[in-house]
Amino acid sequence: MTLTSSEFSDHQAIPTRYTCDGDDHNPSLSVSDVPVEAKSLALVVDDPDAPKGTWLHWLVWNIPPETRAIAEDSVPPGAVQGLNDFGRIEYGGPCPGTGTHRYFFRLYALDTLLALPEGASYGDLEVNLRGHIIAEAELVGTYRRVGH
């Protein structure tokens, strides 16, 4: 399974427009080679370089397995979003205080749909992913705020 973006390459800078310094919209993502047995996809976007530990930027699950693109500033039809560490049920773009941070976009192919309500926490999602991941893909972007 592969996860890419036309907005940035793996381990390259995420354009400002997809951060707190821009429009704060999710970048477009492309998905390929999803296992045929997948029943759903889940996406977790986080920053392991945050000073107080990993910061969650976006949680989305029950993405239809036939999804091949997640458009900019959108959530695939039928998908459910969780609560990020900004306290919002949506994408929250990179917004590091100091230095360059890494942002991990992790896509999981699952053998089930998840019975989690909108606004569920990462902890709830993590528990429900256990034993159901059949493939995963990762895309890493970086961001450093000008003047920080």
Side-chain angles (χ1 to χ4, degrees), residues 24 44-47 50 55-59 82-86 88 90-96 101-103:
D24 213 14
V44 175
V45 180
D46 63 26
D47 168 9
W55 188 267
L56 295 160
H57 287 262
W58 202 21
L59 303 173
L83 187 67
N84 65 26
D85 284 338
F86 294 104
R88 304 188 319 239
E90 61 185 1
Y91 172 84
C95 200
H101 288 214
R102 297 168 298 153
Y103 299 88

mmCIF file with all atom_site columns, all heavy atoms in Angstrom, residues 24 44-47 50 55-59 82-86 88 90-96 101-103:
data_model
loop_
_atom_site.group_PDB
_atom_site.id
_atom_site.type_symbol
_atom_site.label_atom_id
_atom_site.label_alt_id
_atom_site.label_comp_id
_atom_site.label_asym_id
_atom_site.label_entity_id
_atom_site.label_seq_id
_atom_site.pdbx_PDB_ins_code
_atom_site.Cartn_x
_atom_site.Cartn_y
_atom_site.Cartn_z
_atom_site.occupancy
_atom_site.B_iso_or_equiv
_atom_site.pdbx_formal_charge
_atom_site.auth_seq_id
_atom_site.auth_comp_id
_atom_site.auth_asym_id
_atom_site.auth_atom_id
_atom_site.pdbx_PDB_model_num
ATOM 1   N N   . ASP A 1 24  ? -4.719  26.101 6.660  1.00 0.00 ? 24  ASP A N   1
ATOM 2   C CA  . ASP A 1 24  ? -4.943  25.041 7.650  1.00 0.00 ? 24  ASP A CA  1
ATOM 3   C C   . ASP A 1 24  ? -5.866  23.942 7.114  1.00 0.00 ? 24  ASP A C   1
ATOM 4   O O   . ASP A 1 24  ? -6.665  23.382 7.838  1.00 0.00 ? 24  ASP A O   1
ATOM 5   C CB  . ASP A 1 24  ? -5.497  25.621 8.953  1.00 0.00 ? 24  ASP A CB  1
ATOM 6   C CG  . ASP A 1 24  ? -5.023  24.849 10.175 1.00 0.00 ? 24  ASP A CG  1
ATOM 7   O OD1 . ASP A 1 24  ? -4.076  24.045 10.060 1.00 0.00 ? 24  ASP A OD1 1
ATOM 8   O OD2 . ASP A 1 24  ? -5.602  25.042 11.252 1.00 0.00 ? 24  ASP A OD2 1
ATOM 9   N N   . VAL A 1 44  ? -4.012  8.427  10.438 1.00 0.00 ? 44  VAL A N   1
ATOM 10  C CA  . VAL A 1 44  ? -3.571  9.148  11.630 1.00 0.00 ? 44  VAL A CA  1
ATOM 11  C C   . VAL A 1 44  ? -2.444  10.079 11.203 1.00 0.00 ? 44  VAL A C   1
ATOM 12  O O   . VAL A 1 44  ? -1.488  9.642  10.562 1.00 0.00 ? 44  VAL A O   1
ATOM 13  C CB  . VAL A 1 44  ? -3.064  8.175  12.728 1.00 0.00 ? 44  VAL A CB  1
ATOM 14  C CG1 . VAL A 1 44  ? -2.505  8.944  13.915 1.00 0.00 ? 44  VAL A CG1 1
ATOM 15  C CG2 . VAL A 1 44  ? -4.176  7.226  13.165 1.00 0.00 ? 44  VAL A CG2 1
ATOM 16  N N   . VAL A 1 45  ? -2.570  11.364 11.547 1.00 0.00 ? 45  VAL A N   1
ATOM 17  C CA  . VAL A 1 45  ? -1.521  12.337 11.259 1.00 0.00 ? 45  VAL A CA  1
ATOM 18  C C   . VAL A 1 45  ? -1.034  12.887 12.597 1.00 0.00 ? 45  VAL A C   1
ATOM 19  O O   . VAL A 1 45  ? -1.836  13.413 13.380 1.00 0.00 ? 45  VAL A O   1
ATOM 20  C CB  . VAL A 1 45  ? -2.030  13.491 10.368 1.00 0.00 ? 45  VAL A CB  1
ATOM 21  C CG1 . VAL A 1 45  ? -0.907  14.482 10.082 1.00 0.00 ? 45  VAL A CG1 1
ATOM 22  C CG2 . VAL A 1 45  ? -2.603  12.937 9.066  1.00 0.00 ? 45  VAL A CG2 1
ATOM 23  N N   . ASP A 1 46  ? 0.267   12.723 12.859 1.00 0.00 ? 46  ASP A N   1
ATOM 24  C CA  . ASP A 1 46  ? 0.789   13.213 14.129 1.00 0.00 ? 46  ASP A CA  1
ATOM 25  C C   . ASP A 1 46  ? 2.198   13.771 14.007 1.00 0.00 ? 46  ASP A C   1
ATOM 26  O O   . ASP A 1 46  ? 2.864   13.614 12.981 1.00 0.00 ? 46  ASP A O   1
ATOM 27  C CB  . ASP A 1 46  ? 0.717   12.129 15.205 1.00 0.00 ? 46  ASP A CB  1
ATOM 28  C CG  . ASP A 1 46  ? 1.566   10.901 14.921 1.00 0.00 ? 46  ASP A CG  1
ATOM 29  O OD1 . ASP A 1 46  ? 2.571   10.989 14.192 1.00 0.00 ? 46  ASP A OD1 1
ATOM 30  O OD2 . ASP A 1 46  ? 1.245   9.831  15.455 1.00 0.00 ? 46  ASP A OD2 1
ATOM 31  N N   . ASP A 1 47  ? 2.608   14.456 15.066 1.00 0.00 ? 47  ASP A N   1
ATOM 32  C CA  . ASP A 1 47  ? 3.915   15.110 15.156 1.00 0.00 ? 47  ASP A CA  1
ATOM 33  C C   . ASP A 1 47  ? 4.637   14.556 16.386 1.00 0.00 ? 47  ASP A C   1
ATOM 34  O O   . ASP A 1 47  ? 4.322   14.940 17.509 1.00 0.00 ? 47  ASP A O   1
ATOM 35  C CB  . ASP A 1 47  ? 3.713   16.628 15.292 1.00 0.00 ? 47  ASP A CB  1
ATOM 36  C CG  . ASP A 1 47  ? 4.973   17.388 15.675 1.00 0.00 ? 47  ASP A CG  1
ATOM 37  O OD1 . ASP A 1 47  ? 6.076   16.799 15.684 1.00 0.00 ? 47  ASP A OD1 1
ATOM 38  O OD2 . ASP A 1 47  ? 4.857   18.601 15.979 1.00 0.00 ? 47  ASP A OD2 1
ATOM 39  N N   . ALA A 1 50  ? 6.762   17.166 18.957 1.00 0.00 ? 50  ALA A N   1
ATOM 40  C CA  . ALA A 1 50  ? 6.161   18.173 19.839 1.00 0.00 ? 50  ALA A CA  1
ATOM 41  C C   . ALA A 1 50  ? 6.810   18.090 21.227 1.00 0.00 ? 50  ALA A C   1
ATOM 42  O O   . ALA A 1 50  ? 7.134   17.000 21.698 1.00 0.00 ? 50  ALA A O   1
ATOM 43  C CB  . ALA A 1 50  ? 4.652   17.948 19.931 1.00 0.00 ? 50  ALA A CB  1
ATOM 44  N N   . TRP A 1 55  ? 1.875   14.865 19.147 1.00 0.00 ? 55  TRP A N   1
ATOM 45  C CA  . TRP A 1 55  ? 0.695   15.734 18.985 1.00 0.00 ? 55  TRP A CA  1
ATOM 46  C C   . TRP A 1 55  ? -0.117  15.209 17.815 1.00 0.00 ? 55  TRP A C   1
ATOM 47  O O   . TRP A 1 55  ? 0.395   15.048 16.714 1.00 0.00 ? 55  TRP A O   1
ATOM 48  C CB  . TRP A 1 55  ? 1.154   17.163 18.724 1.00 0.00 ? 55  TRP A CB  1
ATOM 49  C CG  . TRP A 1 55  ? 0.048   18.168 18.729 1.00 0.00 ? 55  TRP A CG  1
ATOM 50  C CD1 . TRP A 1 55  ? -0.663  18.606 17.644 1.00 0.00 ? 55  TRP A CD1 1
ATOM 51  C CD2 . TRP A 1 55  ? -0.477  18.874 19.854 1.00 0.00 ? 55  TRP A CD2 1
ATOM 52  N NE1 . TRP A 1 55  ? -1.590  19.536 18.038 1.00 0.00 ? 55  TRP A NE1 1
ATOM 53  C CE2 . TRP A 1 55  ? -1.506  19.719 19.391 1.00 0.00 ? 55  TRP A CE2 1
ATOM 54  C CE3 . TRP A 1 55  ? -0.178  18.864 21.221 1.00 0.00 ? 55  TRP A CE3 1
ATOM 55  C CZ2 . TRP A 1 55  ? -2.236  20.558 20.234 1.00 0.00 ? 55  TRP A CZ2 1
ATOM 56  C CZ3 . TRP A 1 55  ? -0.911  19.698 22.056 1.00 0.00 ? 55  TRP A CZ3 1
ATOM 57  C CH2 . TRP A 1 55  ? -1.919  20.525 21.571 1.00 0.00 ? 55  TRP A CH2 1
ATOM 58  N N   . LEU A 1 56  ? -1.409  14.969 18.059 1.00 0.00 ? 56  LEU A N   1
ATOM 59  C CA  . LEU A 1 56  ? -2.302  14.431 17.027 1.00 0.00 ? 56  LEU A CA  1
ATOM 60  C C   . LEU A 1 56  ? -2.946  15.553 16.227 1.00 0.00 ? 56  LEU A C   1
ATOM 61  O O   . LEU A 1 56  ? -3.586  16.433 16.794 1.00 0.00 ? 56  LEU A O   1
ATOM 62  C CB  . LEU A 1 56  ? -3.374  13.565 17.675 1.00 0.00 ? 56  LEU A CB  1
ATOM 63  C CG  . LEU A 1 56  ? -2.799  12.325 18.349 1.00 0.00 ? 56  LEU A CG  1
ATOM 64  C CD1 . LEU A 1 56  ? -3.749  11.770 19.369 1.00 0.00 ? 56  LEU A CD1 1
ATOM 65  C CD2 . LEU A 1 56  ? -2.441  11.306 17.300 1.00 0.00 ? 56  LEU A CD2 1
ATOM 66  N N   . HIS A 1 57  ? -2.772  15.484 14.902 1.00 0.00 ? 57  HIS A N   1
ATOM 67  C CA  . HIS A 1 57  ? -3.297  16.514 14.006 1.00 0.00 ? 57  HIS A CA  1
ATOM 68  C C   . HIS A 1 57  ? -4.581  16.110 13.304 1.00 0.00 ? 57  HIS A C   1
ATOM 69  O O   . HIS A 1 57  ? -5.385  16.970 12.950 1.00 0.00 ? 57  HIS A O   1
ATOM 70  C CB  . HIS A 1 57  ? -2.237  16.884 12.964 1.00 0.00 ? 57  HIS A CB  1
ATOM 71  C CG  . HIS A 1 57  ? -1.136  17.697 13.554 1.00 0.00 ? 57  HIS A CG  1
ATOM 72  N ND1 . HIS A 1 57  ? -1.086  19.061 13.456 1.00 0.00 ? 57  HIS A ND1 1
ATOM 73  C CD2 . HIS A 1 57  ? -0.049  17.339 14.284 1.00 0.00 ? 57  HIS A CD2 1
ATOM 74  C CE1 . HIS A 1 57  ? -0.014  19.518 14.082 1.00 0.00 ? 57  HIS A CE1 1
ATOM 75  N NE2 . HIS A 1 57  ? 0.634   18.493 14.596 1.00 0.00 ? 57  HIS A NE2 1
ATOM 76  N N   . TRP A 1 58  ? -4.756  14.809 13.051 1.00 0.00 ? 58  TRP A N   1
ATOM 77  C CA  . TRP A 1 58  ? -5.953  14.371 12.315 1.00 0.00 ? 58  TRP A CA  1
ATOM 78  C C   . TRP A 1 58  ? -6.158  12.892 12.535 1.00 0.00 ? 58  TRP A C   1
ATOM 79  O O   . TRP A 1 58  ? -5.214  12.095 12.443 1.00 0.00 ? 58  TRP A O   1
ATOM 80  C CB  . TRP A 1 58  ? -5.755  14.656 10.835 1.00 0.00 ? 58  TRP A CB  1
ATOM 81  C CG  . TRP A 1 58  ? -7.002  14.762 9.998  1.00 0.00 ? 58  TRP A CG  1
ATOM 82  C CD1 . TRP A 1 58  ? -8.270  15.032 10.410 1.00 0.00 ? 58  TRP A CD1 1
ATOM 83  C CD2 . TRP A 1 58  ? -7.078  14.626 8.575  1.00 0.00 ? 58  TRP A CD2 1
ATOM 84  N NE1 . TRP A 1 58  ? -9.114  15.084 9.334  1.00 0.00 ? 58  TRP A NE1 1
ATOM 85  C CE2 . TRP A 1 58  ? -8.414  14.835 8.203  1.00 0.00 ? 58  TRP A CE2 1
ATOM 86  C CE3 . TRP A 1 58  ? -6.132  14.347 7.584  1.00 0.00 ? 58  TRP A CE3 1
ATOM 87  C CZ2 . TRP A 1 58  ? -8.844  14.781 6.881  1.00 0.00 ? 58  TRP A CZ2 1
ATOM 88  C CZ3 . TRP A 1 58  ? -6.557  14.299 6.274  1.00 0.00 ? 58  TRP A CZ3 1
ATOM 89  C CH2 . TRP A 1 58  ? -7.893  14.517 5.916  1.00 0.00 ? 58  TRP A CH2 1
ATOM 90  N N   . LEU A 1 59  ? -7.387  12.516 12.822 1.00 0.00 ? 59  LEU A N   1
ATOM 91  C CA  . LEU A 1 59  ? -7.790  11.113 12.962 1.00 0.00 ? 59  LEU A CA  1
ATOM 92  C C   . LEU A 1 59  ? -9.008  10.894 12.075 1.00 0.00 ? 59  LEU A C   1
ATOM 93  O O   . LEU A 1 59  ? -10.006 11.600 12.218 1.00 0.00 ? 59  LEU A O   1
ATOM 94  C CB  . LEU A 1 59  ? -8.189  10.796 14.408 1.00 0.00 ? 59  LEU A CB  1
ATOM 95  C CG  . LEU A 1 59  ? -7.174  11.064 15.513 1.00 0.00 ? 59  LEU A CG  1
ATOM 96  C CD1 . LEU A 1 59  ? -7.818  10.857 16.879 1.00 0.00 ? 59  LEU A CD1 1
ATOM 97  C CD2 . LEU A 1 59  ? -5.979  10.158 15.350 1.00 0.00 ? 59  LEU A CD2 1
ATOM 98  N N   . GLY A 1 82  ? -11.987 11.823 14.320 1.00 0.00 ? 82  GLY A N   1
ATOM 99  C CA  . GLY A 1 82  ? -11.819 11.833 15.764 1.00 0.00 ? 82  GLY A CA  1
ATOM 100 C C   . GLY A 1 82  ? -11.348 13.186 16.257 1.00 0.00 ? 82  GLY A C   1
ATOM 101 O O   . GLY A 1 82  ? -11.130 14.113 15.481 1.00 0.00 ? 82  GLY A O   1
ATOM 102 N N   . LEU A 1 83  ? -11.165 13.266 17.549 1.00 0.00 ? 83  LEU A N   1
ATOM 103 C CA  . LEU A 1 83  ? -10.745 14.496 18.212 1.00 0.00 ? 83  LEU A CA  1
ATOM 104 C C   . LEU A 1 83  ? -9.228  14.631 18.171 1.00 0.00 ? 83  LEU A C   1
ATOM 105 O O   . LEU A 1 83  ? -8.513  13.737 18.630 1.00 0.00 ? 83  LEU A O   1
ATOM 106 C CB  . LEU A 1 83  ? -11.226 14.474 19.665 1.00 0.00 ? 83  LEU A CB  1
ATOM 107 C CG  . LEU A 1 83  ? -11.020 15.744 20.480 1.00 0.00 ? 83  LEU A CG  1
ATOM 108 C CD1 . LEU A 1 83  ? -11.899 16.873 19.941 1.00 0.00 ? 83  LEU A CD1 1
ATOM 109 C CD2 . LEU A 1 83  ? -11.363 15.461 21.940 1.00 0.00 ? 83  LEU A CD2 1
ATOM 110 N N   . ASN A 1 84  ? -8.745  15.747 17.618 1.00 0.00 ? 84  ASN A N   1
ATOM 111 C CA  . ASN A 1 84  ? -7.297  15.959 17.574 1.00 0.00 ? 84  ASN A CA  1
ATOM 112 C C   . ASN A 1 84  ? -6.839  16.691 18.840 1.00 0.00 ? 84  ASN A C   1
ATOM 113 O O   . ASN A 1 84  ? -7.657  17.066 19.693 1.00 0.00 ? 84  ASN A O   1
ATOM 114 C CB  . ASN A 1 84  ? -6.876  16.680 16.285 1.00 0.00 ? 84  ASN A CB  1
ATOM 115 C CG  . ASN A 1 84  ? -7.417  18.093 16.172 1.00 0.00 ? 84  ASN A CG  1
ATOM 116 O OD1 . ASN A 1 84  ? -7.711  18.774 17.149 1.00 0.00 ? 84  ASN A OD1 1
ATOM 117 N ND2 . ASN A 1 84  ? -7.554  18.556 14.935 1.00 0.00 ? 84  ASN A ND2 1
ATOM 118 N N   . ASP A 1 85  ? -5.539  16.916 18.971 1.00 0.00 ? 85  ASP A N   1
ATOM 119 C CA  . ASP A 1 85  ? -5.013  17.560 20.169 1.00 0.00 ? 85  ASP A CA  1
ATOM 120 C C   . ASP A 1 85  ? -5.219  19.073 20.192 1.00 0.00 ? 85  ASP A C   1
ATOM 121 O O   . ASP A 1 85  ? -4.890  19.731 21.179 1.00 0.00 ? 85  ASP A O   1
ATOM 122 C CB  . ASP A 1 85  ? -3.533  17.214 20.363 1.00 0.00 ? 85  ASP A CB  1
ATOM 123 C CG  . ASP A 1 85  ? -3.348  15.797 20.900 1.00 0.00 ? 85  ASP A CG  1
ATOM 124 O OD1 . ASP A 1 85  ? -4.296  15.255 21.508 1.00 0.00 ? 85  ASP A OD1 1
ATOM 125 O OD2 . ASP A 1 85  ? -2.256  15.231 20.721 1.00 0.00 ? 85  ASP A OD2 1
ATOM 126 N N   . PHE A 1 86  ? -5.811  19.621 19.129 1.00 0.00 ? 86  PHE A N   1
ATOM 127 C CA  . PHE A 1 86  ? -6.228  21.020 19.149 1.00 0.00 ? 86  PHE A CA  1
ATOM 128 C C   . PHE A 1 86  ? -7.623  21.131 19.771 1.00 0.00 ? 86  PHE A C   1
ATOM 129 O O   . PHE A 1 86  ? -8.158  22.220 19.915 1.00 0.00 ? 86  PHE A O   1
ATOM 130 C CB  . PHE A 1 86  ? -6.278  21.594 17.722 1.00 0.00 ? 86  PHE A CB  1
ATOM 131 C CG  . PHE A 1 86  ? -4.940  21.685 17.044 1.00 0.00 ? 86  PHE A CG  1
ATOM 132 C CD1 . PHE A 1 86  ? -4.593  20.773 16.062 1.00 0.00 ? 86  PHE A CD1 1
ATOM 133 C CD2 . PHE A 1 86  ? -4.032  22.688 17.370 1.00 0.00 ? 86  PHE A CD2 1
ATOM 134 C CE1 . PHE A 1 86  ? -3.367  20.851 15.415 1.00 0.00 ? 86  PHE A CE1 1
ATOM 135 C CE2 . PHE A 1 86  ? -2.800  22.772 16.730 1.00 0.00 ? 86  PHE A CE2 1
ATOM 136 C CZ  . PHE A 1 86  ? -2.459  21.849 15.751 1.00 0.00 ? 86  PHE A CZ  1
ATOM 137 N N   . ARG A 1 88  ? -10.300 19.742 18.308 1.00 0.00 ? 88  ARG A N   1
ATOM 138 C CA  . ARG A 1 88  ? -11.237 19.875 17.193 1.00 0.00 ? 88  ARG A CA  1
ATOM 139 C C   . ARG A 1 88  ? -11.432 18.531 16.488 1.00 0.00 ? 88  ARG A C   1
ATOM 140 O O   . ARG A 1 88  ? -10.540 17.696 16.473 1.00 0.00 ? 88  ARG A O   1
ATOM 141 C CB  . ARG A 1 88  ? -10.720 20.910 16.185 1.00 0.00 ? 88  ARG A CB  1
ATOM 142 C CG  . ARG A 1 88  ? -10.457 22.273 16.804 1.00 0.00 ? 88  ARG A CG  1
ATOM 143 C CD  . ARG A 1 88  ? -10.125 23.359 15.783 1.00 0.00 ? 88  ARG A CD  1
ATOM 144 N NE  . ARG A 1 88  ? -9.265  22.970 14.702 1.00 0.00 ? 88  ARG A NE  1
ATOM 145 C CZ  . ARG A 1 88  ? -8.077  23.539 14.434 1.00 0.00 ? 88  ARG A CZ  1
ATOM 146 N NH1 . ARG A 1 88  ? -7.593  24.478 15.211 1.00 0.00 ? 88  ARG A NH1 1
ATOM 147 N NH2 . ARG A 1 88  ? -7.370  23.150 13.394 1.00 0.00 ? 88  ARG A NH2 1
ATOM 148 N N   . GLU A 1 90  ? -11.421 17.710 13.231 1.00 0.00 ? 90  GLU A N   1
ATOM 149 C CA  . GLU A 1 90  ? -11.048 18.079 11.874 1.00 0.00 ? 90  GLU A CA  1
ATOM 150 C C   . GLU A 1 90  ? -9.527  18.027 11.769 1.00 0.00 ? 90  GLU A C   1
ATOM 151 O O   . GLU A 1 90  ? -8.845  17.757 12.750 1.00 0.00 ? 90  GLU A O   1
ATOM 152 C CB  . GLU A 1 90  ? -11.540 19.489 11.531 1.00 0.00 ? 90  GLU A CB  1
ATOM 153 C CG  . GLU A 1 90  ? -10.938 20.570 12.434 1.00 0.00 ? 90  GLU A CG  1
ATOM 154 C CD  . GLU A 1 90  ? -11.517 21.952 12.178 1.00 0.00 ? 90  GLU A CD  1
ATOM 155 O OE1 . GLU A 1 90  ? -12.409 22.086 11.316 1.00 0.00 ? 90  GLU A OE1 1
ATOM 156 O OE2 . GLU A 1 90  ? -11.079 22.893 12.844 1.00 0.00 ? 90  GLU A OE2 1
ATOM 157 N N   . TYR A 1 91  ? -9.033  18.318 10.598 1.00 0.00 ? 91  TYR A N   1
ATOM 158 C CA  . TYR A 1 91  ? -7.589  18.429 10.381 1.00 0.00 ? 91  TYR A CA  1
ATOM 159 C C   . TYR A 1 91  ? -7.073  19.682 11.058 1.00 0.00 ? 91  TYR A C   1
ATOM 160 O O   . TYR A 1 91  ? -7.693  20.748 10.974 1.00 0.00 ? 91  TYR A O   1
ATOM 161 C CB  . TYR A 1 91  ? -7.314  18.496 8.872  1.00 0.00 ? 91  TYR A CB  1
ATOM 162 C CG  . TYR A 1 91  ? -5.885  18.799 8.491  1.00 0.00 ? 91  TYR A CG  1
ATOM 163 C CD1 . TYR A 1 91  ? -4.933  17.790 8.432  1.00 0.00 ? 91  TYR A CD1 1
ATOM 164 C CD2 . TYR A 1 91  ? -5.485  20.095 8.181  1.00 0.00 ? 91  TYR A CD2 1
ATOM 165 C CE1 . TYR A 1 91  ? -3.618  18.063 8.065  1.00 0.00 ? 91  TYR A CE1 1
ATOM 166 C CE2 . TYR A 1 91  ? -4.180  20.375 7.807  1.00 0.00 ? 91  TYR A CE2 1
ATOM 167 C CZ  . TYR A 1 91  ? -3.249  19.358 7.753  1.00 0.00 ? 91  TYR A CZ  1
ATOM 168 O OH  . TYR A 1 91  ? -1.960  19.629 7.392  1.00 0.00 ? 91  TYR A OH  1
ATOM 169 N N   . GLY A 1 92  ? -5.943  19.559 11.729 1.00 0.00 ? 92  GLY A N   1
ATOM 170 C CA  . GLY A 1 92  ? -5.230  20.709 12.285 1.00 0.00 ? 92  GLY A CA  1
ATOM 171 C C   . GLY A 1 92  ? -3.821  20.671 11.725 1.00 0.00 ? 92  GLY A C   1
ATOM 172 O O   . GLY A 1 92  ? -3.085  19.711 11.952 1.00 0.00 ? 92  GLY A O   1
ATOM 173 N N   . GLY A 1 93  ? -3.453  21.675 10.971 1.00 0.00 ? 93  GLY A N   1
ATOM 174 C CA  . GLY A 1 93  ? -2.170  21.661 10.283 1.00 0.00 ? 93  GLY A CA  1
ATOM 175 C C   . GLY A 1 93  ? -0.965  21.857 11.180 1.00 0.00 ? 93  GLY A C   1
ATOM 176 O O   . GLY A 1 93  ? -1.086  22.214 12.345 1.00 0.00 ? 93  GLY A O   1
ATOM 177 N N   . PRO A 1 94  ? 0.219   21.596 10.622 1.00 0.00 ? 94  PRO A N   1
ATOM 178 C CA  . PRO A 1 94  ? 1.460   21.800 11.358 1.00 0.00 ? 94  PRO A CA  1
ATOM 179 C C   . PRO A 1 94  ? 1.530   23.226 11.922 1.00 0.00 ? 94  PRO A C   1
ATOM 180 O O   . PRO A 1 94  ? 1.155   24.187 11.241 1.00 0.00 ? 94  PRO A O   1
ATOM 181 C CB  . PRO A 1 94  ? 2.539   21.580 10.304 1.00 0.00 ? 94  PRO A CB  1
ATOM 182 C CG  . PRO A 1 94  ? 1.910   20.623 9.333  1.00 0.00 ? 94  PRO A CG  1
ATOM 183 C CD  . PRO A 1 94  ? 0.468   21.062 9.283  1.00 0.00 ? 94  PRO A CD  1
ATOM 184 N N   . CYS A 1 95  ? 2.030   23.338 13.155 1.00 0.00 ? 95  CYS A N   1
ATOM 185 C CA  . CYS A 1 95  ? 2.119   24.633 13.825 1.00 0.00 ? 95  CYS A CA  1
ATOM 186 C C   . CYS A 1 95  ? 3.190   24.560 14.914 1.00 0.00 ? 95  CYS A C   1
ATOM 187 O O   . CYS A 1 95  ? 2.915   24.824 16.079 1.00 0.00 ? 95  CYS A O   1
ATOM 188 C CB  . CYS A 1 95  ? 0.754   24.993 14.416 1.00 0.00 ? 95  CYS A CB  1
ATOM 189 S SG  . CYS A 1 95  ? 0.555   26.745 14.768 1.00 0.00 ? 95  CYS A SG  1
ATOM 190 N N   . PRO A 1 96  ? 4.422   24.151 14.559 1.00 0.00 ? 96  PRO A N   1
ATOM 191 C CA  . PRO A 1 96  ? 5.440   23.949 15.585 1.00 0.00 ? 96  PRO A CA  1
ATOM 192 C C   . PRO A 1 96  ? 5.869   25.262 16.245 1.00 0.00 ? 96  PRO A C   1
ATOM 193 O O   . PRO A 1 96  ? 5.932   26.299 15.585 1.00 0.00 ? 96  PRO A O   1
ATOM 194 C CB  . PRO A 1 96  ? 6.600   23.324 14.815 1.00 0.00 ? 96  PRO A CB  1
ATOM 195 C CG  . PRO A 1 96  ? 6.451   23.841 13.422 1.00 0.00 ? 96  PRO A CG  1
ATOM 196 C CD  . PRO A 1 96  ? 4.957   23.941 13.210 1.00 0.00 ? 96  PRO A CD  1
ATOM 197 N N   . HIS A 1 101 ? 9.732   20.301 12.595 1.00 0.00 ? 101 HIS A N   1
ATOM 198 C CA  . HIS A 1 101 ? 9.060   19.106 13.088 1.00 0.00 ? 101 HIS A CA  1
ATOM 199 C C   . HIS A 1 101 ? 8.727   18.186 11.925 1.00 0.00 ? 101 HIS A C   1
ATOM 200 O O   . HIS A 1 101 ? 8.580   18.628 10.792 1.00 0.00 ? 101 HIS A O   1
ATOM 201 C CB  . HIS A 1 101 ? 7.770   19.477 13.824 1.00 0.00 ? 101 HIS A CB  1
ATOM 202 C CG  . HIS A 1 101 ? 7.991   20.109 15.155 1.00 0.00 ? 101 HIS A CG  1
ATOM 203 N ND1 . HIS A 1 101 ? 7.148   19.904 16.212 1.00 0.00 ? 101 HIS A ND1 1
ATOM 204 C CD2 . HIS A 1 101 ? 8.957   20.953 15.610 1.00 0.00 ? 101 HIS A CD2 1
ATOM 205 C CE1 . HIS A 1 101 ? 7.571   20.593 17.261 1.00 0.00 ? 101 HIS A CE1 1
ATOM 206 N NE2 . HIS A 1 101 ? 8.673   21.248 16.911 1.00 0.00 ? 101 HIS A NE2 1
ATOM 207 N N   . ARG A 1 102 ? 8.581   16.892 12.254 1.00 0.00 ? 102 ARG A N   1
ATOM 208 C CA  . ARG A 1 102 ? 8.162   15.888 11.269 1.00 0.00 ? 102 ARG A CA  1
ATOM 209 C C   . ARG A 1 102 ? 6.685   15.569 11.495 1.00 0.00 ? 102 ARG A C   1
ATOM 210 O O   . ARG A 1 102 ? 6.240   15.471 12.639 1.00 0.00 ? 102 ARG A O   1
ATOM 211 C CB  . ARG A 1 102 ? 8.981   14.608 11.428 1.00 0.00 ? 102 ARG A CB  1
ATOM 212 C CG  . ARG A 1 102 ? 10.459  14.793 11.162 1.00 0.00 ? 102 ARG A CG  1
ATOM 213 C CD  . ARG A 1 102 ? 11.251  13.580 11.621 1.00 0.00 ? 102 ARG A CD  1
ATOM 214 N NE  . ARG A 1 102 ? 11.077  13.425 13.070 1.00 0.00 ? 102 ARG A NE  1
ATOM 215 C CZ  . ARG A 1 102 ? 11.172  12.270 13.732 1.00 0.00 ? 102 ARG A CZ  1
ATOM 216 N NH1 . ARG A 1 102 ? 11.441  11.165 13.078 1.00 0.00 ? 102 ARG A NH1 1
ATOM 217 N NH2 . ARG A 1 102 ? 10.997  12.222 15.034 1.00 0.00 ? 102 ARG A NH2 1
ATOM 218 N N   . TYR A 1 103 ? 5.960   15.393 10.403 1.00 0.00 ? 103 TYR A N   1
ATOM 219 C CA  . TYR A 1 103 ? 4.534   15.090 10.442 1.00 0.00 ? 103 TYR A CA  1
ATOM 220 C C   . TYR A 1 103 ? 4.310   13.769 9.718  1.00 0.00 ? 103 TYR A C   1
ATOM 221 O O   . TYR A 1 103 ? 4.574   13.670 8.524  1.00 0.00 ? 103 TYR A O   1
ATOM 222 C CB  . TYR A 1 103 ? 3.720   16.239 9.835  1.00 0.00 ? 103 TYR A CB  1
ATOM 223 C CG  . TYR A 1 103 ? 3.950   17.487 10.645 1.00 0.00 ? 103 TYR A CG  1
ATOM 224 C CD1 . TYR A 1 103 ? 5.013   18.332 10.359 1.00 0.00 ? 103 TYR A CD1 1
ATOM 225 C CD2 . TYR A 1 103 ? 3.174   17.744 11.769 1.00 0.00 ? 103 TYR A CD2 1
ATOM 226 C CE1 . TYR A 1 103 ? 5.293   19.425 11.157 1.00 0.00 ? 103 TYR A CE1 1
ATOM 227 C CE2 . TYR A 1 103 ? 3.443   18.841 12.573 1.00 0.00 ? 103 TYR A CE2 1
ATOM 228 C CZ  . TYR A 1 103 ? 4.499   19.673 12.270 1.00 0.00 ? 103 TYR A CZ  1
ATOM 229 O OH  . TYR A 1 103 ? 4.785   20.752 13.073 1.00 0.00 ? 103 TYR A OH  1
#
